[in-house]
Amino acid sequence: MSKALHAPRHFRKTTGNRAPRTLLSLLALTLGLSLNPVHAETIAAWDIYNYPSQTAVIDQAIKDFEAQNPGEKISRTVHSFDDTRIPLKLALSSGEGPQVAQVNQGGGDMGALVKEKLLLPMDDYAKQYGWETRFPSSILKRNRWSDKQDFGSGHLYGVASLGEMVGLYYNKAVLDKAGIAVPKTLPEFEAALAKLKQQGTVPIMLGLLDGSVGAQLLSTLWEEQIESSDRKTLDDLIYDVGGTFKDSKLVKAAQTMQDWNKKGYFFPGYQGMGRDDAASLFQNGQAAFFISGTWYMGQFKPNKDIHFSAMPAVPGVKAPLMVGGTDLPFSITITAKTKEQQDIAAKYINYIVSDKVATAWLNAGFLPASADKNAKLPADNPLLADIYKVWTTVNTNDGLGHYVDWATPTMGDALNANVQLLLANRLTPQQLTEKLDENYQQYLKTLKH
């Protein structure tokens, strides 16, 4: 609460002498004080934007927000990703936590906080600020939990500021040297892989040592076969509604990976190389293609030969799903006890996901979760322009797919281990799907009470 100079409610009557009030007013103006009480409300906010360029965006956003909303203050602290898990839960449970926090999605984190009633539903604010129009349902669904703890449905508990997706990076100079046009379809892509291999150029950069990359490649080859309009089967798997991983399209994706490996399309020694080392080699022109996420665009920006696209189209699939997600969404916590605090928290979150801040993210080289087709992109970042074009198309089609490891708490480990076995030819594509389904069905049993 800021201190203010309070004028007395009543002055002793004088015969036409208004000097006391006049003098007091002059004194207040001179000292820069107000005759009326000023009420300031401070909201504590935790976020994980610890890179300097990210911090600059958020700090400026807070300055602008406070300038537009006199008397409303944001006290920002930056935390590590790990602090959004157990430390956040402990802080909220003790009543000392922030009113706004970025919360990791999924049952172990956001789901646990929802279960213990440590987060507040944001449905009314979603309507007030038009979030359900601004963001496709495939994005908002990741932050929904029902009263029965159903993931992906019910109340909205968060809105994200940044997005990400896994697609195809390609080196145009390498393709030009090989006399290969940028492939638009999967058959064209596979023909390009064969021609590159024949010419002695590494077709696909890959680093499998530290996990996740193999799972992302498998997921990409699976989800590009699925129409956005026919996404319910995959959604049901990820949101624990039910289903099976013994899917013919997943078998085909695994078969494709195994075939590419047998034909020598991956960088030699990829099994013992980490993903970041693979990214650096690709950046230096050591392969034509790299299937990975938009988190590498800042690293790749200096190489103007590197571009980005959706995976070349599977024949017959017009608007495929694309593996991806968002960063940690901003949530309103239980420590926002008053309606005023809750309103300010929601107003702040709405500003963080606004078009103005989205433009600031673009200028800083990041991908905002919203998709404004009229956004002004920085002229010095053609790679970002490639990525943003794909992002707006994916969002228009409600086509943002999933990281498949979300399906169960142990699915990530299952994917990494079985992809390794698949590429070592110790597992058939069919057996891989059976192993993943076994993991999934066991998990579903634990959810039944």
Side-chain angles (χ1 to χ4, degrees):
M1 179 77 69
S2 64
K3 293 182 178 179
L5 181 63
H6 294 269
R9 288 174 179 268
H10 301 285
F11 286 92
R12 181 174 297 173
K13 284 187 178 180
T14 60
T15 54
N17 185 355
R18 304 297 296 268
R21 184 180 288 274
T22 303
L23 287 172
L24 192 57
S25 299
L26 288 172
L27 178 62
L29 288 171
T30 301
L31 297 177
L33 301 172
S34 170
L35 286 171
N36 299 313
V38 175
H39 178 71
E41 186 72 65
T42 299
I43 295 296
W46 286 14
D47 66 62
I48 62 166
Y49 296 132
N50 52 8
Y51 294 119
S53 54
Q54 293 176 321
T55 281
V57 170
I58 297 297
D59 284 347
Q60 186 60 52
I62 290 173
K63 287 180 183 178
D64 293 343
F65 176 83
E66 292 178 343
Q68 293 175 20
N69 299 280
E72 298 175 4
K73 302 292 182 184
I74 305 298
S75 175
R76 176 196 181 214
T77 55
V78 181
H79 292 256
S80 69
F81 171 79
D82 288 337
D83 287 347
T84 67
R85 312 192 80 183
I86 302 302
L88 176 62
K89 184 178 179 180
L90 292 173
L92 295 178
S93 298
S94 70
E96 298 298 320
Q99 286 77 54
V100 172
Q102 280 185 286
V103 179
N104 189 38
Q105 301 104 322
D109 296 299
M110 180 179 280
L113 297 181
V114 169
K115 186 176 183 179
E116 296 191 22
K117 301 188 184 306
L118 297 174
L119 300 182
L120 298 177
M122 298 165 65
D123 307 88
D124 290 343
Y125 295 118
K127 293 176 184 175
Q128 178 181 343
Y129 291 116
W131 294 337
E132 291 174 334
T133 303
R134 182 171 174 75
F135 299 97
S137 63
S138 58
I139 284 183
L140 295 182
K141 195 170 185 178
R142 298 158 198 269
N143 309 316
R144 291 192 184 278
W145 289 87
S146 76
D147 294 334
K148 296 181 179 179
Q149 282 295 106
D150 295 322
F151 183 25
S153 63
H155 301 298
L156 183 70
Y157 286 96
V159 186
S161 180
L162 295 177
E164 61 186 35
M165 57 186 169
V166 176
L168 181 69
Y169 289 100
Y170 60 92
N171 188 313
K172 187 68 165 52
V174 172
L175 292 180
D176 287 347
K177 184 178 179 181
I180 297 172
V182 178
K184 301 296 183 186
T185 67
L186 189 59
E188 289 177 4
F189 181 63
E190 293 194 306
L193 298 180
K195 188 172 182 180
L196 288 162
K197 174 65 176 175
Q198 186 180 16
Q199 294 182 9
T201 300
V202 175
I204 300 175
M205 182 56 64
L206 186 66
L208 215 60
L209 181 63
D210 40 16
S212 76
V213 174
Q216 288 166 13
L217 177 55
L218 179 68
S219 302
T220 296
L221 294 173
W222 183 18
E223 294 180 34
E224 72 163 348
Q225 301 175 63
I226 303 171
E227 285 280 4
S228 300
S229 59
D230 191 29
R231 61 178 297 145
K232 186 178 184 303
T233 300
L234 181 63
D235 284 348
D236 285 351
L237 277 175
I238 300 302
Y239 295 123
D240 303 330
V241 175
T244 178
F245 276 79
K246 290 188 281 190
D247 178 87
S248 61
K249 291 176 180 175
L250 180 55
V251 172
K252 186 174 180 180
Q255 185 66 62
T256 298
M257 280 185 70
Q258 200 172 59
D259 289 346
W260 288 357
N261 184 51
K262 289 176 179 177
K263 292 175 181 178
Y265 290 166
F266 298 135
F267 187 84
Y270 69 86
Q271 300 93 335
M273 185 167 60
R275 55 179 174 262
D276 290 341
D277 289 336
S280 295
L281 288 170
F282 175 73
Q283 183 182 1
N284 294 326
Q286 298 301 304
F289 299 107
F290 184 53
I291 299 168
S292 192
T294 51
W295 47 85
Y296 281 120
M297 70 173 158
Q299 177 180 334
F300 293 162
K301 178 185 174 183
N303 187 337
K304 301 303 181 184
D305 292 324
I306 294 178
H307 296 269
F308 183 89
S309 74
M311 281 293 291
V314 173
V317 181
K318 296 179 180 178
L321 293 180
M322 194 162 183
V323 175
T326 66
D327 70 341
L328 276 58
F330 286 86
S331 299
I332 301 175
T333 79
I334 195 67
T335 63
K337 296 186 181 301
T338 67
K339 181 67 163 60
E340 181 182 16
Q341 288 179 324
Q342 294 165 17
D343 287 349
I344 295 171
K347 191 191 300 183
Y348 171 63
I349 292 172
N350 185 59
Y351 190 72
I352 289 295
V353 301
S354 67
D355 282 339
K356 182 174 181 181
V357 177
T359 298
W361 281 127
L362 287 167
N363 288 330
F366 295 91
L367 182 65
S370 59
D372 178 9
K373 291 183 178 180
N374 300 315
K376 187 176 181 182
L377 300 170
D380 67 337
N381 198 341
L383 179 57
L384 174 60
D386 289 346
I387 288 170
Y388 197 68
K389 181 179 179 182
V390 176
W391 182 250
T392 55
T393 300
V394 167
N395 278 273
T396 298
N397 296 332
D398 195 20
L400 191 63
H402 296 286
Y403 298 110
V404 177
D405 58 292
W406 274 27
T408 79
T410 57
M411 183 59 77
D413 292 337
L415 278 162
N416 294 337
N418 287 296
V419 165
Q420 291 273 13
L421 293 172
L422 176 80
L423 295 182
N425 298 318
R426 293 169 56 191
L427 208 63
T428 68
Q430 186 72 42
Q431 288 171 332
L432 177 136
T433 64
E434 291 168 356
K435 294 278 189 182
L436 299 183
D437 194 60
E438 181 181 349
N439 177 284
Y440 185 68
Q441 302 305 332
Q442 287 179 349
Y443 177 64
L444 286 184
K445 289 178 183 177
T446 69
L447 301 180
K448 295 177 181 178
H449 303 290

